[in-house]
Amino acid sequence: MRVILLGPPGVGKGTQAQFLMDELKAIQLSTGDLLRAEVRAATELGTKAKEFMDAGKLVPDDVILGMIGRKMQDLGDKAVIFDGFPRTVPQAEGLDKLMESLNMKVDKAIELTVDDEVVVKRLSSRRSCPQCGAVFNLLFAPPKQDDVCDKCGHVGLIQRDDDKEDTIRNRLKVYHDQTAPLSNYYNTQGKLVQVEGDGTIEEVRDRVLAVVK
Ligand code: AP5
Ligand code: MG
């Protein structure tokens, strides 16, 4: 099964992708995580992408499609959760073409919805582990021990550079302008399922899993 997770920044795409991976024995392809890995490795792509990411803007479509194209070549028949991709209509069209060339198709696009103010609250309090990537929230999903990763024990959780309030608001604007039209794109294909993203992580998980079961 190939599932796209759509929705604004901070709605919980990464959080819910973890549950879907367990349920579907799938791998997660998060363009945000892939880009942050390029930034950390200081590659040419990462250096170029960082300027866009820090400003809360989208990285150009050709860069994203090139990156995803390379990842998709090695997928075989694995189930995939796309997290944060596609984000524009040209990216969605590019993914459809790529899928066709590999004899695959998108099965569902699950759109998580939530109000903008919930996003600002969640993202201002998000922390993540620089070692294993685990995501926490100081208000809603705190680590068991202050500043220590529950998963790998690393000491020192970090705040993402783009989780400052000004940048969060830019990301929301970009989302409404450029990514929200994808609901219509997948609705027209009969693949869109909207899921309420407000509520506890477990409540949202149960709604999301009900869609794929
Ligand atoms: P990306 O990393 O994809 O960021 P995003 O879409 O803005 O989404 P986030 O990762 O911030 O949020 P999320 O929905 O995953 O929420 P999470 O589960 O962490 O992209 C970053 C940047 O990279 C972009 O701005 C752009 O520059 C670039 N980029 C990436 N992909 C691109 C593309 N395809 N094209 C062009 N550019 C691209 O949850 C958030 C917080 O809330 C956490 O702390 C979590 O613990 C908490 N939480 C989750 N669910 C709940 C709940 N139900 N209740 C309370 N708290 C919750
Ligand atoms: Mg994410």
Side-chain angles (χ1 to χ4, degrees), residues 1-8 11 13 20 106-114 175 182-197 204 206-213:
M1 193 180 230
R2 271 103 202 180
V3 179
I4 291 171
L5 277 179
L6 291 172
V11 73
K13 300 181 295 296
L20 282 169
V106 172
D107 295 291
K108 276 187 200 313
I110 302 179
E111 181 182 30
L112 296 168
T113 59
V114 86
Y175 172 78
L182 289 183
S183 313
N184 197 27
Y185 183 90
Y186 288 110
N187 197 25
T188 308
Q189 293 190 355
K191 294 176 181 170
L192 183 76
V193 185
Q194 288 179 315
V195 171
E196 172 59 58
V204 180
D206 292 349
R207 290 176 205 142
V208 168
L209 293 185
V211 174
V212 297
K213 268 180 181 161

Side-chain angles (χ1 to χ4, degrees), residues 17-18 68 71-72 77 90 119 138 144-145 167 173 211:
Q18 298 298 316
I68 283 286
K71 287 279 162 195
M72 298 274 299
D77 57 1
V119 162
L138 299 182
K144 291 195 184 82
Q145 227 185 312
T167 317
K173 184 173 183 313
V211 174

Side-chain angles (χ1 to χ4, degrees), residues 4-209:
I4 291 171
L5 277 179
L6 291 172
V11 73
K13 300 181 295 296
T15 303
Q16 297 303 328
Q18 298 298 316
F19 300 124
L20 282 169
M21 281 163 73
D22 289 348
E23 176 69 25
L24 301 174
K25 310 274 171 288
I27 62 152
Q28 172 194 22
L29 276 186
S30 157
T31 40
D33 288 349
L34 293 171
L35 290 169
R36 280 183 290 279
E38 297 279 347
V39 171
R40 276 196 302 278
T43 62
E44 195 181 325
L45 192 161
T47 311
K48 194 168 152 198
K50 190 174 181 346
E51 283 178 37
F52 293 95
M53 295 167 82
D54 285 351
K57 293 182 182 163
L58 294 184
V59 173
D61 290 337
D62 58 332
V63 176
I64 298 291
L65 283 167
M67 195 172 75
I68 283 286
R70 289 190 289 280
K71 287 279 162 195
M72 298 274 299
Q73 301 301 328
D74 325 315
L75 282 184
D77 57 1
K78 285 193 193 110
V80 186
I81 314 297
F82 293 97
D83 161 4
F85 170 84
R87 247 173 157 101
T88 62
V89 171
Q91 287 184 23
E93 290 168 346
L95 177 63
D96 278 346
K97 280 202 194 112
L98 191 64
M99 287 280 200
E100 208 185 314
S101 72
L102 296 167
N103 233 341
M104 298 176 186
K105 68 176 176 54
V106 172
D107 295 291
K108 276 187 200 313
I110 302 179
E111 181 182 30
L112 296 168
T113 59
V114 86
D115 288 344
D116 285 3
E117 290 315 309
V118 175
V119 162
V120 176
K121 197 166 180 189
R122 283 187 189 173
L123 289 185
S124 313
S125 49
R126 171 166 60 187
R127 295 292 182 274
S128 48
C129 174
Q131 188 157 284
C132 74
V135 175
F136 302 92
N137 193 287
L138 299 182
L139 299 176
F140 307 111
K144 291 195 184 82
Q145 227 185 312
D146 208 19
D147 215 26
V148 179
C149 177
D150 290 356
K151 263 200 184 163
C152 74
H154 178 83
V155 182
L157 301 178
I158 54 163
Q159 184 165 25
R160 258 169 59 175
D161 287 341
D162 58 350
D163 279 350
K164 301 185 183 81
E165 184 165 343
D166 280 1
T167 317
I168 295 170
R169 294 209 182 267
N170 281 346
R171 287 159 62 198
L172 278 166
K173 184 173 183 313
V174 166
Y175 172 78
H176 291 300
D177 291 348
Q178 298 187 57
T179 307
L182 289 183
S183 313
N184 197 27
Y185 183 90
Y186 288 110
N187 197 25
T188 308
Q189 293 190 355
K191 294 176 181 170
L192 183 76
V193 185
Q194 288 179 315
V195 171
E196 172 59 58
D198 206 355
T200 66
I201 290 174
E202 292 72 25
E203 283 166 349
V204 180
R205 173 199 63 196
D206 292 349
R207 290 176 205 142
V208 168
L209 293 185

